[in-house]
Amino acid sequence: MAATQAEFSKTAGKPIHCRAAVARKAGEPLVIEEVIVAPPKACEVRIKIVCTSLCHSDVTFWKLKDFPGCFPRILGHEAFGIVESVGENVQDLKEGDSVIPIFLPDCTECIDCTSKKSNSCSQFQFKVSPWMLRDGTSRFTTIDGETLYHFLSVSSFAEYTVVDIANVTKIDPRVPPNRACLFSCGVSTGVGAALKTANVEQGSTVVIFGLGGIGLAVAEGARICGASRIIGVDINTDKFEIGKQFGVTDFVDSNSYGDKPISQVINEMTNGGADYCFECVGMGTLVQEAYACCRKGWGKTIVVGVDKPGALLTFKSLDILHLGKTIMGSLFGGLKPKSDIPLLVKRYLDKELELDKFVTHEVSFQHINTAFDLLVEGKSLRCVIWMDE
């Protein structure tokens, strides 16, 4: 760390030339280029990225041809790094701190951030902006002066990035970098959805629609909570064997029941519906199926998947009144980044939360497009990308 501190002292307050994987056109391979990263402004820090991991959201926005997709852009939002330098008015972070950037702002001051009931900051509302949080500009340019867009307030597919302090959380340096980065998005979202949003009870029955990285993280959270039955629903039958590692006890292949609604299958399996149903795909039709198979009277449906902008849900008003079910959203698992992530980290250090099984591949930065291929082809849960290898 001493050598790193000495290195940082030479670059603080100056632009840094480094490598970044730039998305230049929708769906085309990222291009590793030399870019210039400006020094942090007030309430910002510049972070040396040690490693980053690939999330489905990166792939979604990489494919988007229309706004909020925009190019050229530096994607990436799951990462671990070291604070290289800080801007003015930064008090809680310093050079050398181990941190994870998180897409969801946590100012710690507004009515929402000081409440236990919300993780939706009212000072800096979450949005998919191509700019920095406070001044609406970029900290990235090419060596030719071309502006590069930010992504989810993080942009971790670069050796250095600038992030607002509202989007940075300290993390215990005892956590290995290739596990620490998982707390930035997917694992925290799924585990938090089970632990915090749903507050899954011991001995309960849980159904998870979609056994990707998020869905399996929900299963991990439900396992920790002591759910007695965890039913996974997916179109890929290979997911059952994978799911068993995360506590999945039953599997439903949604392609094998013809015209029979999956909600009916679940209701029959559970004698009237599950206690908790999680939609982790991002499809309105699956949200409605999940609602239809959560138990009347106390069943909860938790929406975790991200659907297309403008997608609508339709429910019968009398069903809402008569059935007594609950439907709720779970952005970032309902977690408050600066106060709840340390609690998840403790669960990991206490060997309660198992992270190793989420990482299926690791590649060097120059092979970042391989990580995209693996995720798109369904061969990877999380691929960690190392900057210095």
Side-chain angles (χ1 to χ4, degrees), residues 286-304:
L286 288 183
V287 173
Q288 293 178 190
E289 283 288 282
Y291 183 79
C293 63
C294 72
R295 190 168 188 86
K296 64 180 177 61
W298 64 75
K300 292 182 180 179
T301 297
I302 298 90
V303 180
V304 187

Side-chain angles (χ1 to χ4, degrees), residues 98-372:
S98 297
V99 296
I100 56 172
I102 295 177
F103 71 92
L104 191 69
D106 184 354
C107 76
T108 72
E109 299 172 349
C110 71
I111 187 172
D112 287 285
C113 289
T114 55
S115 169
K116 294 181 179 180
K117 300 176 183 178
S118 171
N119 70 343
S120 181
C121 180
S122 50
Q123 183 178 2
F124 305 112
Q125 293 187 7
F126 168 69
K127 55 184 178 181
V128 185
S129 169
W131 308 114
M132 288 297 294
L133 198 61
R134 298 175 197 253
D135 70 357
T137 63
S138 176
R139 301 292 173 269
F140 299 113
T141 56
T142 67
I143 56 175
D144 296 323
E146 179 186 22
T147 297
L148 299 172
Y149 295 119
H150 288 252
F151 180 60
L152 291 180
S153 301
V154 176
S155 292
S156 60
F157 293 166
E159 292 177 310
Y160 288 85
T161 188
V162 176
V163 183
D164 192 283
I165 56 174
N167 294 97
V168 179
T169 295
K170 285 185 185 180
I171 191 166
D172 192 317
R174 290 180 293 171
V175 181
N178 59 349
R179 299 298 179 263
C181 61
L182 303 180
F183 287 106
S184 275
C185 182
V187 170
S188 296
T189 295
V191 173
L195 266 67
K196 189 166 186 180
T197 303
N199 192 20
V200 170
E201 295 178 319
Q202 187 171 0
S204 59
T205 298
V206 171
V207 176
I208 303 168
F209 288 80
L211 293 180
I214 300 289
L216 291 172
V218 170
E220 177 72 2
R223 180 193 66 78
I224 291 171
C225 290
S228 61
R229 194 175 187 189
I230 302 174
I231 303 170
V233 181
D234 206 288
I235 59 174
N236 183 350
T237 55
D238 293 338
K239 293 292 181 71
F240 186 32
E241 287 303 315
I242 298 170
K244 288 178 181 178
Q245 302 175 46
F246 297 83
V248 175
T249 58
D250 302 78
F251 181 78
V252 173
D253 175 6
S254 53
N255 278 338
S256 64
Y257 289 92
D259 295 332
K260 187 176 184 178
I262 294 301
S263 56
Q264 183 179 339
V265 175
I266 298 296
N267 283 328
E268 292 171 359
M269 289 176 66
T270 57
N271 192 28
D275 301 303
Y276 307 92
C277 291
F278 295 84
E279 198 285 330
C280 301
V281 178
M283 291 178 60
T285 53
L286 288 183
V287 173
Q288 293 178 190
E289 283 288 282
Y291 183 79
C293 63
C294 72
R295 190 168 188 86
K296 64 180 177 61
W298 64 75
K300 292 182 180 179
T301 297
I302 298 90
V303 180
V304 187
V306 180
D307 206 342
K308 296 185 290 293
L312 300 176
L313 298 173
T314 303
F315 298 98
K316 294 179 180 179
S317 179
L318 284 179
D319 284 349
I320 300 293
L321 174 64
H322 291 170
L323 298 179
K325 302 180 180 183
T326 301
I327 183 168
M328 57 184 70
S330 183
L331 182 63
F332 195 56
L335 302 176
K336 303 170 84 68
K338 295 184 189 296
S339 55
D340 286 332
I341 292 302
L343 300 179
L344 284 189
V345 169
K346 184 179 185 304
R347 288 181 183 267
Y348 168 71
L349 293 173
D350 290 344
K351 302 187 184 304
E352 183 181 0
L353 171 59
E354 301 170 3
L355 293 181
D356 291 355
K357 55 196 177 187
F358 285 96
V359 179
T360 54
H361 298 80
E362 300 191 30
V363 299
S364 61
F365 188 45
Q366 63 182 344
H367 295 124
I368 189 170
N369 287 305
T370 299
F372 274 75

